[in-house]
Amino acid sequence: MLLKAKLGDVQRFVRVAEPANLTEFLDAAFARFGVPAVTEGVKVVDSSGTELDEDVFEEIVKDASYGVLTIKYDTELECGFMGASPEQSKPSSLDTSDSHDTDIVDSPPRKRQRLDAEAKHYITTQTLRETYARGIVSLFPYLSDPHSKNGYEHYYDGESGTGYLAWRIKTIQRCSAKDRRTLFEASAAGASGEGMSGGPTVRRQCQFVPETALSEDECKEAISLMKHSADEDIVKNKMKLTFDYRRNMILDPQQSCNILFEFPRFKDVKGLVEQDFVLMFGEGVSGKLLEKWPTAYKKKIIQECRKLPSTSELEELLLTADPPEDSTERDADFGWDSDLSSVFLLLHLIPPSAQGRRKPGKVSASQAEKHLVVFKKSGTSIQEHLDAITTSSQPYLLAVGARKNAVHQFFIVLDKNAIPCRSTSCLGAFDELFKAHFVFGTSYNPMLRNMYTFIQTTVYNIDVGKVKESPRVAEVRVRLLH
């Protein structure tokens, strides 16, 4: 038989066997709403608010006049009692009046009661979700996130109201537009606080401390010398001495756009991006991606991507990232090399977030790849490619070669300028591209933000706990670190 059931703001039909009993109804209802089943601390009421017990349940539901069976948690009453004022907890004679005029006069109290009810529901939901999140990592310790405060925030974070459980339940229940706006505003408030305390665009204490600080005139003299020197060692030494001057210039919105004009040697001396990054974070942090990616991440990323729904683009990347032993050289002629393919697989594992109604909207991982690397055949004019750029965008890689898996030169394209990469390997060039964001103080491309945040916090361990991560980033980190 079909019974009308309601949980929270969602109402659905629930199918139960005849004769119906309360326990079977609750089990079927929790399964239908997609939430964990609870055997204690819940009650069922009909449309009049009368509680249904086990002994009368079968008889009541035979008559359709019961209306809708609403499932309520006992914690709602507890939270409401603890949060209500004495005046609010007392019954009011005005609330029971049938007079239309009285309802109009008493609209403010009724509005307070409605807001109190919404607050009770919110507090109860928070408590339950955090309990479930804590229970998951207690039962399965390997699912805990070592980079979070309590280990379960990627399932539910009570402070920000975000996490995998919150997202999943919202999807299942199809929340109203008002609830989605409230969640978005809470996320935006978090992003303006903690989310802005880390990343490539913030001012930070750097590892490098110069032995002698140059004056502004001495810095300008060194900059002038670098522009005309043919000795790369002199250029690198002067770049090191002017590091603090350059950082202040990069972090100044009025001067940052002139950084490649004041320091043009970035465009013809390889290795300057790497040098500045080392001065910021040290050698140990700088070498983490090249050290850990082939051994700690690549294989696990491939394994996780094999569990994703199959698409032609995904299967092609899996084939190039992990080619079968019997594959021929001709089979491997298409696509990128194994390392860069595994980076693209990470983009499929942590796909781009929706960009909003007025922006591109939902972007696929395959579309986002084009904002990471652009391939040009050998002999193509680099300057023509730069001149064709019509809009300013975040840095990306320009790969030049005979084929995608036979690239002989990489460039970092930034503000219509081509900065040559020191490395000729795909993974080394991607490493330099990531570092360029910090060296030039530029934000991540919105379509690649989730992937770059994962690389930043999980691989390089930069600003752990200071940047706002999507639940998907934390979830993938837990999978790959265990």
Side-chain angles (χ1 to χ4, degrees):
M1 63 188 305
L2 292 176
L3 302 178
K4 294 179 182 178
K6 184 176 182 181
L7 180 62
D9 296 329
V10 182
Q11 183 173 315
R12 292 180 178 174
F13 280 103
V14 175
R15 186 184 299 277
V16 295
E18 295 189 46
N21 64 65
L22 183 59
T23 303
E24 292 178 354
F25 166 74
L26 286 173
D27 290 340
F30 284 129
R32 184 74 177 90
F33 286 105
V35 299
V38 180
T39 57
E40 298 180 358
V42 295
K43 68 176 184 178
V44 179
V45 300
D46 63 9
S47 297
S48 66
T50 305
E51 183 177 357
L52 277 66
D53 296 324
E54 182 73 51
D55 55 345
V56 300
F57 184 83
E58 179 183 349
E59 184 178 350
I60 295 296
V61 297
K62 289 180 180 179
D63 186 355
S65 63
Y66 68 85
V68 180
L69 301 178
T70 302
I71 302 172
K72 293 188 176 183
Y73 296 96
D74 287 347
T75 49
E76 293 183 28
L77 299 177
E78 296 172 5
C79 292
F81 178 78
M82 294 171 63
S85 65
E87 292 77 6
Q88 292 170 331
S89 62
K90 293 180 182 179
S92 172
S93 60
L94 296 177
D95 294 338
T96 60
S97 173
D98 294 330
S99 170
H100 178 71
D101 294 337
T102 305
D103 287 342
I104 296 176
V105 173
D106 294 333
S107 57
R110 289 182 180 275
K111 183 176 181 181
R112 283 200 303 271
Q113 291 173 358
R114 177 176 57 80
L115 294 176
D116 287 343
E118 292 179 358
K120 295 172 188 176
H121 177 71
Y122 177 74
I123 294 172
T124 303
T125 303
Q126 269 195 320
T127 304
L128 288 173
R129 291 177 183 176
E130 193 162 358
T131 300
Y132 294 144
R134 189 185 300 110
I136 290 173
V137 298
S138 297
L139 291 173
F140 305 99
Y142 64 90
L143 292 179
S144 64
D145 182 4
H147 286 187
S148 64
K149 181 179 179 181
N150 297 307
Y152 59 77
E153 281 80 0
H154 56 297
Y155 287 108
Y156 188 71
D157 182 0
E159 294 182 2
S160 62
T162 59
Y164 180 76
L165 291 179
W167 282 30
R168 183 59 179 164
I169 292 173
K170 289 291 183 183
T171 302
I172 293 174
Q173 295 181 344
R174 305 291 184 185
C175 284
S176 65
K178 178 181 178 181
D179 291 332
R180 286 197 296 270
R181 285 196 301 269
T182 302
L183 180 64
F184 175 80
E185 289 168 2
S187 300
S192 63
E194 182 183 10
M196 296 302 292
S197 63
T201 61
V202 301
R203 187 177 296 274
R204 65 181 68 248
Q205 183 68 38
C206 297
Q207 291 285 327
F208 173 67
V209 179
E211 295 181 0
T212 57
L214 299 183
S215 65
E216 185 173 351
D217 290 339
E218 290 174 326
C219 285
K220 290 181 178 180
E221 182 181 345
I223 292 171
S224 178
L225 175 61
M226 282 189 290
K227 288 180 178 180
H228 304 93
S229 177
D231 190 328
E232 290 191 3
D233 290 335
I234 292 178
V235 172
K236 290 182 178 180
N237 182 54
K238 297 299 182 182
M239 287 288 285
K240 188 174 182 180
L241 292 175
T242 56
F243 173 75
D244 285 339
Y245 179 89
R246 185 163 55 257
R247 291 304 303 166
N248 290 329
M249 184 176 177
I250 287 172
L251 296 174
D252 184 347
Q254 302 297 326
Q255 302 185 61
S256 57
C257 58
N258 297 322
I259 192 67
L260 290 177
F261 176 79
E262 290 294 325
F263 296 91
R265 304 315 299 270
F266 275 113
K267 296 187 289 185
D268 64 354
V269 177
K270 298 179 181 179
L272 295 182
V273 170
E274 171 73 18
Q275 177 175 283
D276 269 19
F277 189 84
V278 170
L279 295 178
M280 293 177 69
F281 298 103
E283 292 280 0
V285 173
S286 180
K288 283 189 174 182
L289 186 136
L290 297 181
E291 174 188 346
K292 292 183 176 182
W293 190 266
T295 57
Y297 293 102
K298 181 178 176 179
K299 185 176 180 181
K300 291 185 177 180
I301 289 172
I302 293 172
Q303 291 173 347
E304 290 296 326
C305 283
R306 294 192 188 280
K307 303 174 186 177
L308 297 176
S310 179
T311 63
S312 58
E313 294 88 356
L314 182 63
E315 292 301 324
E316 180 178 324
L317 286 174
L318 287 170
L319 186 61
T320 54
D322 186 26
E325 296 181 358
D326 58 350
S327 63
T328 63
E329 185 176 348
R330 182 177 179 181
D331 295 332
D333 262 357
F334 72 94
W336 300 98
D337 78 344
S338 177
D339 287 332
L340 191 55
S341 295
S342 66
V343 173
F344 285 146
L345 284 177
L346 178 63
L347 192 53
H348 282 256
L349 203 57
I350 309 177
S353 299
Q355 303 300 302
R357 294 181 180 179
R358 297 184 180 181
K359 296 180 181 180
K362 185 63 177 177
V363 179
S364 69
S366 300
Q367 291 173 313
E369 291 175 10
K370 301 174 183 178
H371 296 270
L372 185 62
V373 184
V374 173
F375 173 76
K376 294 293 181 181
K377 281 272 191 180
S378 299
T380 303
S381 171
I382 304 300
Q383 191 57 49
E384 286 183 6
H385 174 77
L386 299 177
D387 293 339
I389 299 175
T390 57
T391 58
S392 178
S393 62
Q394 281 76 17
Y396 63 89
L397 281 179
L398 176 63
V400 180
R403 301 183 308 275
K404 287 184 177 180
N405 59 359
V407 176
H408 62 76
Q409 178 69 70
F410 286 95
F411 297 89
I412 299 170
V413 178
L414 175 65
D415 294 334
K416 302 187 71 169
N417 290 281
I419 301 171
C421 293
R422 182 178 64 175
S423 176
T424 56
S425 73
C426 291
L427 188 61
F430 174 74
D431 178 57
E432 292 184 50
L433 172 65
F434 174 83
K435 293 172 179 176
H437 290 84
F438 287 84
V439 170
F440 295 106
T442 189
S443 58
Y444 299 138
N445 188 304
M447 300 180 192
L448 306 172
R449 183 183 296 117
N450 288 342
M451 184 201 69
Y452 275 135
T453 301
F454 175 88
I455 296 292
Q456 173 188 325
T457 58
T458 306
V459 180
Y460 288 95
N461 300 130
I462 296 174
D463 296 337
V464 176
K466 295 182 179 180
V467 291
K468 187 172 181 62
E469 297 177 325
S470 72
R472 183 64 176 175
V473 170
E475 180 190 353
V476 170
R477 175 169 58 243
V478 171
R479 292 185 189 180
L480 299 184
L481 292 183
H482 291 287

